[in-house]
């Protein structure tokens, strides 16, 4: 089980598609490659369906 994030997770509207898909860091938007680490799960609800996006940071 991972520890809770040190800071609050961002709003999904502030993340670009590459950050949402864990291609780029959710904080600084730099390319992650294999150096990323899990940050937390961002819950997003669309039309009464909730999705969990795993956010990664460098």
């Amino acid at each position: 089980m991972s520890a809770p994030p040190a800071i609050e997770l961002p709003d999904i509207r502030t993340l670009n598609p590459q950050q949402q898909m864990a291609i780029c860091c959710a904080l600084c938007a730099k390319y992650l490659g294999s150096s990323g680490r899990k940050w937390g799960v961002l819950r997003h609800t669309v039309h009464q369906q909730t999705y969990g996006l795993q956010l990664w940071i460098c």
Side-chain angles (χ1 to χ4, degrees), residues 20-42:
Q20 293 175 15
M21 294 183 287
I23 297 169
C24 295
C25 175
L27 291 175
C28 67
K30 290 182 183 175
Y31 179 74
L32 284 175
S34 62
S35 65
R37 56 193 164 104
K38 291 180 184 178
W39 185 25
V41 177
L42 180 64

Side-chain angles (χ1 to χ4, degrees), residues 17-18 20 26 38-39 43 46 54:
Q18 289 81 17
Q20 293 175 15
K38 291 180 184 178
W39 185 25
R43 304 264 182 240
V46 178
Q54 178 69 58

Side-chain angles (χ1 to χ4, degrees), residues 10-25:
D11 187 320
I12 193 167
R13 293 172 290 188
T14 64
L15 300 174
N16 66 42
Q18 289 81 17
Q19 290 171 304
Q20 293 175 15
M21 294 183 287
I23 297 169
C24 295
C25 175

